[in-house]
Amino acid sequence: MYTSLLDSDVLAGSNNRRPASLFIGMRGQLPVVVIVGGGFGGLAAAKALKRARANVILIDRTNHHLFQPLLYQVATSVLTPGQIGSPIRNILRKQKNTTVLMGEVTRVETAEQCVVVSDADRAEVRLPYDYLVLATGATHSYFGHDEFKKHAPGLKTLADAVAIRNRILSAFELAEAEEDPRLHRDLLTFVLVGAGPTGVEMASAISVLVRGALRSEYRRIDPTSARIVLIDQSPRVLGSFSEDLSMAAKERLTKLGVEVLNGQSVEHIDEAGVIVGGERIASHTVIWTAGVKPSPAAKWLNAPADRAGRVRVEPDLRVPGHREIFVVGDTASLDQNGKPLPGVAQVAMQQGRYAGRLIARQIAGKPPLRPFRYFDKGNMAVVGKGYAVLQSGRVHVSGLLAWMVWAAIHLQFLATSSLRISVFLQWVWTYLTGQRGSRLIVDHHGPEPAVTPDEPGTQLVNSLGGGFRVQ
Ligand SMILES: Cc1cc2nc3c(=O)[nH]c(=O)nc-3n(C[C@H](O)[C@H](O)[C@H](O)COP(=O)(O)OP(=O)(O)OC[C@H]3O[C@@H](n4cnc5c(N)ncnc54)[C@H](O)[C@@H]3O)c2cc1C
């Protein structure tokens, strides 16, 4: 993958750094801008550098840009993975100054101005930079209880969404095959830990799924009897929204049959369910929709960090003491009006765009930009079919109108026009018919179904979370 780069003696462990000369003979002596992360922040930075006289190198551990706000729709079968992700190199195909590399950055050598990258082919490749933009996002946080992870997967990547979809659909398959009706209840109990936007959207989407597409397809179980429990230690759902919208969302959830347990924290999670307030809720499917923690960028840079571990950046998004390094998005910490900016896509996009433009201006010898300022366009969350809550300044709206604004904005921010068309058509189809984009249980890494040779005629059907015998 790094063939052209690896041929250079600046790479592969050499300390003989020649930052601006990486592409000598290929594109002339241009500054090298390395962007780590092809999410909202990194992609915006790369696009802002489109006309810069620079060699831009964007590195991501995956080959795709992911529209995370719609992950819950993949997890609940509305959309397919391919409808919310696009290959980064396809998005940037017309940007001739930009090279896209798939690899995992494992550290930054600030003194040498190198990022260290590994991929399946090569480990610890050194890639020099003149400017560096770190946009490596965040991952789940189990608040010191990493043992919960095994039983309560989180939702951050496409693989997470497909794994959760497998789990939800498998629960119905297992219940249908289970002859003891007393076990149906546990199999059809879905617990979501965390009632922020992701928890609320997931809980309501599961409710719509069981009442719609699944309703008439089973013979031994009634999918509409599924129990959906949403737990949060804060006193209300959607804590970052105003109180009236939070109340409206809770009312809507209750109408959808979701049990909301506010002011309660989860004490324990295991394969049999969760313990909340000393009581066990037996469940086959627990989903973690609570906290996130930033990427280890602050550790890579040995830079000052906030309590969550995000890099404390200067008002122009640079890292203190490093004029050539910028950190943007979920992995950066910046206060505005005395409050830290939230970890949302708009902040990441606006910061990425700002960092890219600032670098482009510096390369062109133009004066710098004014300090970064976030323009808050508002918050939205979906609560079931045709219903959303929207808060933008003093405007607070809930219901169908808010959902239509939500749909329009989400379509607009999908990465390519083909995704916009595909998602729009899918939504119209699902809205009208209740039919879903993909209800397949696809266990990419699971064991093959096996036949035990000493028991002829017995087939062991394997499924996520256990197997059952069909005689
Ligand atoms: C389920 C879910 C729902 C959400 N819903 C909303 C919403 O409705 N509205 C909203 O505004 N925000 C929402 N968010 C938050 C929003 O998605 C993030 O704030 C945003 O993605 C942050 O952008 P970013 O560029 O900082 O990071 P990301 O978009 O997460 O991108 C980080 C990129 O860096 C790559 N990367 C990470 N580490 C490395 C490494 N070491 N080497 C190479 N590559 C690396 C990752 O593969 C990824 O592509 C949601 C998030 C989730 C998880």
Side-chain angles (χ1 to χ4, degrees):
M1 143 172 274
Y2 295 104
T3 321
S4 61
L5 307 178
L6 287 168
D7 288 344
S8 164
D9 61 355
V10 297
L11 301 172
S14 162
N15 283 331
N16 184 12
R17 187 183 160 273
R18 297 184 302 169
S21 62
L22 182 63
F23 287 97
I24 279 183
M26 287 170 67
R27 293 170 179 168
Q29 190 152 354
L30 295 175
V32 176
V33 184
V34 170
I35 300 170
V36 187
F40 286 107
L43 197 59
K47 286 181 176 173
L49 283 157
K50 185 176 181 180
R51 292 183 217 296
R53 282 193 44 75
N55 287 318
V56 180
I57 302 173
L58 189 150
I59 307 168
D60 198 294
R61 55 158 73 118
T62 73
N63 80 333
H64 53 269
H65 169 78
L66 178 61
F67 194 82
Q68 293 172 26
L70 292 178
L71 269 174
Y72 84 96
Q73 297 213 350
V74 173
T76 53
S77 297
V78 177
L79 298 174
T80 63
Q83 286 174 308
I84 65 163
S86 287
I88 299 168
R89 63 177 67 261
N90 178 258
I91 299 170
L92 297 175
R93 67 190 179 283
K94 293 191 180 146
Q95 201 160 312
K96 298 294 177 212
N97 67 350
T98 304
T99 305
V100 178
L101 300 176
M102 192 172 89
E104 170 106 21
V105 169
T106 51
R107 61 177 197 277
V108 178
E109 293 182 352
T110 51
E112 305 239 306
Q113 289 191 211
C114 286
V115 292
V116 180
V117 193
S118 295
D119 72 358
D121 193 32
R122 300 289 302 263
E124 303 274 294
V125 176
R126 281 182 161 77
L127 188 56
Y129 61 81
D130 294 301
Y131 297 93
L132 175 64
V133 180
L134 292 176
T136 39
T139 182
H140 324 293
S141 168
Y142 287 82
F143 305 124
H145 285 283
D146 284 350
E147 71 277 11
F148 291 172
K149 193 174 179 176
K150 191 169 149 206
H151 308 293
L155 186 61
K156 186 69 189 165
T157 64
L158 272 182
D160 294 338
V162 172
I164 290 175
R165 184 180 78 191
N166 284 347
R167 249 176 136 113
I168 293 172
L169 297 175
S170 295
F172 289 95
E173 297 302 332
L174 290 171
E176 177 78 343
E178 176 55 62
E179 279 156 14
D180 182 353
R182 286 170 302 177
L183 296 178
H184 289 168
R185 185 86 179 144
D186 303 356
L187 285 168
L188 296 186
T189 296
F190 300 90
V191 175
L192 297 111
V193 185
T198 305
V200 166
E201 290 180 336
M202 275 293 292
S204 52
I206 295 173
S207 169
V208 174
L209 173 71
V210 301
R211 282 164 176 71
L214 303 190
R215 191 190 177 110
S216 60
E217 294 186 2
Y218 295 84
R219 300 294 168 258
R220 292 184 182 174
I221 56 162
D222 172 12
T224 64
S225 69
R227 184 180 176 205
I228 304 160
V229 188
L230 180 62
I231 306 168
D232 200 302
Q233 59 184 5
S234 72
R236 55 192 179 92
V237 301
L238 297 181
S240 58
F241 286 67
S242 64
E243 208 156 336
D244 56 325
L245 291 180
S246 165
M247 297 265 287
K250 186 170 179 182
E251 221 170 89
R252 178 76 181 176
L253 285 164
T254 310
K255 270 194 193 146
L256 289 167
V258 176
E259 283 174 49
V260 181
L261 303 184
N262 274 126
Q264 310 223 29
S265 38
V266 169
E267 290 142 27
H268 182 70
I269 305 178
D270 57 29
E271 64 284 348
V274 300
I275 297 180
V276 186
E279 302 261 329
R280 175 171 283 280
I281 300 176
S283 167
H284 179 79
T285 313
V286 182
I287 302 166
W288 188 261
T289 50
V292 290
K293 63 175 179 212
S295 76
K299 285 189 192 134
W300 293 341
L301 301 172
N302 199 14
D306 67 6
R307 274 175 49 197
R310 301 184 300 172
V311 179
R312 277 228 159 264
V313 289
E314 292 181 340
D316 60 2
L317 310 182
R318 289 181 216 250
V319 175
H322 293 281
R323 304 285 303 156
E324 72 289 2
I325 306 179
F326 297 77
V327 182
V328 302
D330 279 7
T331 215
S333 171
L334 181 68
D335 290 354
Q336 187 166 301
N337 304 330
K339 283 199 290 188
L341 291 175
V344 294
Q346 274 298 327
V347 170
M349 287 162 88
Q350 291 179 29
Q351 290 188 335
R353 198 175 309 130
Y354 177 94
R357 284 177 55 205
L358 192 58
I359 294 168
R361 289 178 75 86
Q362 192 161 332
I363 289 170
K366 292 184 183 167
L369 294 167
R370 279 186 291 181
F372 173 79
R373 257 202 101 66
Y374 171 53
F375 176 55
D376 185 358
K377 296 177 186 164
N379 277 334
M380 288 175 289
V382 170
V383 199
K385 186 176 175 180
Y387 190 103
V389 292
L390 183 163
Q391 181 174 342
S392 180
R394 289 195 192 147
V395 179
H396 296 186
V397 189
S398 57
L400 182 64
L401 178 66
W403 181 81
M404 286 164 83
V405 175
W406 172 90
I409 288 176
H410 280 67
L411 285 173
Q412 185 196 337
F413 283 108
L414 280 163
T416 64
S417 45
S418 62
L419 291 187
R420 275 173 229 131
I421 294 166
S422 165
V423 169
F424 174 72
L425 292 176
Q426 182 67 57
W427 280 351
V428 171
W429 182 247
T430 301
Y431 194 88
L432 296 176
T433 67
Q435 293 305 312
R436 308 260 146 175
S438 173
R439 278 174 44 203
L440 307 183
I441 298 172
V442 188
D443 188 357
H444 293 285
H445 307 292
E448 291 293 317
V451 176
T452 45
D454 48 357
E455 289 180 63
T458 301
Q459 194 188 6
L460 191 65
V461 180
N462 201 300
S463 158
L464 220 142
F468 63 92
R469 279 166 196 275
V470 182
Q471 296 291 345

